[in-house]
């Protein structure tokens, strides 16, 4: 096993050290060339994707930084103190990639993806190498709790298989949300969307018990058509900036209070509008590859379609993601204060990117449902973040991160909270034996059965999309 780990380090570490944009530049260009796309066109797509990833990261950092300050003020006003610091996802990704086992898990998942493609169990080629760290974190935590590497690897393969299958299930919904044709190859294997089955349960509950709530919902695009600017992404960002400023308790009797509110509102408006612009760059970046895949599939596989698994932000242009995230921010603060067993105050992860993209996909943008279901599921993220805090802190010290003594660190809304609980149970089943074996087996069975049920619901949805597309062609 050590030989495999060293091999993975030698192959992938130089590439990983270059960062996500550079990784995707090389990976997308190489894949496009392999699909017989002209090199200059392949390189053009790779550069566009690298620029899009860089831009989306910078805009997200700007939005998070802007909203983090008033949320800190909110915490000060309430007098609440937690003993675990929320770092946000970026430092945690760096720490996770600092482990040699992460590169081993990357190699395992690449092999798994190839096997599933060859066996025709998936049509998705996952190129989002950087975000492998989410699932690698689950494997590392399982080892930390007490499992051997081989058992943690089996858990990673189990979750990774479902993650890739899920990318195929979601593809028609992505096309619908983006108003993109079937030939568009973009999908994602991001861990964000492994919350889909749980969200689907609540979404079906809404269908049965609370359908009347949808009457109060709104579609930002349709609203914009009716009332112009006041329903636009710009305006939604401004409204959210005003709301968060009020929550922070800005002193509007002073010039500084008004200045802070206006600044936050303008940052919110510009970021949400820019997300839409940058989202279109993702689509443009895969155009050459899309044509190359279509030509190759028609020639070699009798028309079999292939998808490309990217990072989730190609959906970032949907304003519902940001509207829900900003409304959920103060809700998460309140829940963190009163939730039994929680030791983590959300600051670094206050813009809940580990929560809202999955809500968008399952509810298809019904904002009221997104907010209510999001509020219900946030405790899962808080408890998971609290549970892995000692592990994150230990791992941070191992890679030389500057963490103050006697300080615990974690991330509030890191993707894959349920998978972290699975890792905890599997690790303890090996280390503690006894009832933990029963707990782990039951948890894995429930996880698999819930995914199977969710897959059936998504297949029904996809059949409806296909039927609607046929009707449109006939018309």
């Amino acid at each position: 096993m050590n030989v495999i780990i060293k091999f993975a380090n030698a192959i992938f570490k130089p590439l990983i050290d270059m960062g996500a944009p550079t990784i995707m530049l090389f990976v997308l260009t190489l894949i496009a060339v392999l699909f017989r796309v002209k090199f200059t066109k392949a390189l053009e797509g790779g550069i566009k994707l690298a620029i899009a990833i860089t831009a989306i990261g910078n805009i997200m950092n700007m939005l998070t930084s802007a909203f983090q300050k008033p949320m800190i003020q909110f915490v000060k006003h309430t007098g609440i103190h937690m003993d675990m610091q929320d770092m946000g996802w970026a430092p945690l990704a760096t720490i996770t990639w600092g482990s040699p086992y992460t590169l081993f898990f990357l190699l395992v998942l690449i092999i798994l993806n190839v096997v599933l493609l060859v066996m025709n169990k998936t049509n998705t080629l996952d190129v989002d190498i950087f975000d492998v760290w989410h699932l690698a974190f689950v494997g590392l935590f399982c080892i930390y709790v007490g499992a051997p590497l081989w058992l943690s690897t089996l858990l990673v393969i189990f979750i990774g298989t479902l993650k890739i299958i899920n990318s195929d299930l979601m593809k028609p919904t992505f096309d619908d949300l983006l108003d993109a044709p079937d030939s568009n190859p973009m999908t994602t294997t991001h861990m964000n969307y492994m919350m889909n089955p749980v969200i689907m349960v609540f979404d079906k509950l809404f269908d049965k018990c609370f359908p009347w709530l949808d009457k109060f919902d709104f579609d930002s695009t349709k609203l914009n058509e009716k009332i112009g600017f006041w329903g636009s992404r710009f305006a939604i960002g401004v409204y959210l900036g005003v709301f968060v400023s009020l929550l922070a308790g800005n002193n509007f009797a002073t010039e500084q209070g008004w200045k802070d509110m206006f600044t936050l509102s303008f940052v919110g408006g510009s970021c949400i509008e820019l997300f839409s612009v940058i989202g279109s760059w993702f689509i443009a970046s895969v155009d050459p590859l899309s044509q190359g895949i279509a030509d190759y599939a028609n020639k070699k596989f009798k028309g079999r379609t292939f998808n490309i698994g990217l990072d989730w932000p190609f959906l970032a242009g949907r304003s519902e993601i940001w509207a829900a995230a900003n409304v959920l921010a103060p809700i998460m603060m309140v829940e963190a204060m009163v939730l039994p067993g929680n030791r983590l105050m959300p600051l670094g992860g206050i813009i809940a990117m580990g929560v809202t993209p999955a809500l968008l996909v399952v509810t298809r943008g019904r904002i009221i449902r997104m907010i209510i279901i999001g509020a219900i599921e946030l405790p899962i993220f808080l408890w998971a973040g609290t549970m892995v805090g000692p592990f994150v802190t230990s791992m941070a010290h191992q890679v030389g991160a500057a963490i103050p003594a006697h300080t615990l660190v974690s991330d509030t809304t890191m993707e894959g909270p349920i998978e972290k609980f699975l890792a905890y149970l599997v690790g303890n089943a090996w280390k503690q034996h006894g009832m933990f074996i029963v707990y782990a087996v039951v948890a894995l069975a429930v996880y698999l059965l819930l995914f199977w049920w969710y897959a059936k619901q998504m297949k029904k949805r996809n059949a409806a999309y296909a039927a609607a597309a046929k009707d449109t062609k006939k018309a």
Side-chain angles (χ1 to χ4, degrees), residues 7-161:
F7 174 76
N9 276 332
I11 295 295
F12 295 114
K13 194 172 190 309
L15 184 61
I16 296 300
D17 288 344
M18 294 183 184
T22 308
I23 291 171
M24 297 311 296
L25 164 63
F26 284 113
V27 170
L28 193 72
T29 303
L30 176 60
I31 292 173
V33 169
L34 291 175
F35 277 104
R36 308 292 177 86
V37 176
K38 187 179 178 182
F39 176 74
T40 53
K41 282 290 182 183
L43 181 61
E44 177 186 332
I47 292 173
K48 284 182 178 178
L49 182 59
I51 291 171
I53 292 171
T54 301
I56 209 82
N58 288 336
I59 298 300
M60 285 177 66
N61 287 338
M62 182 168 71
L63 185 66
T64 301
S65 299
F67 277 73
Q68 190 174 0
K69 181 180 176 181
M71 287 303 173
I72 291 173
Q73 289 179 252
F74 175 72
V75 172
K76 288 180 179 178
H77 292 159
T78 59
I80 299 294
H81 173 71
M82 301 287 181
D83 69 342
M84 197 174 288
Q85 293 184 12
D86 177 11
M87 297 191 300
W89 72 269
L92 202 54
T94 303
I95 291 169
T96 304
W97 276 115
S99 169
Y101 288 109
T102 298
L103 295 168
F104 166 72
F105 288 131
L106 170 60
L107 179 62
V108 168
L109 290 169
I110 289 174
I111 294 171
L112 172 66
N113 191 193
V114 172
V115 170
L116 291 174
L117 281 166
V118 171
M119 294 175 63
N120 202 17
K121 299 299 181 183
T122 183
N123 290 319
T124 297
L125 176 63
D126 186 12
V127 302
D128 186 17
I129 291 175
F130 183 79
D131 284 321
V132 163
W133 76 268
H134 296 119
L135 188 47
F137 183 96
V138 173
L140 292 170
F141 181 55
C142 191
I143 294 171
Y144 175 83
V145 174
L149 179 58
W150 68 265
L151 184 57
S152 300
T153 303
L154 288 179
L155 179 63
V156 166
I157 291 172
F158 169 66
I159 298 170
T161 301

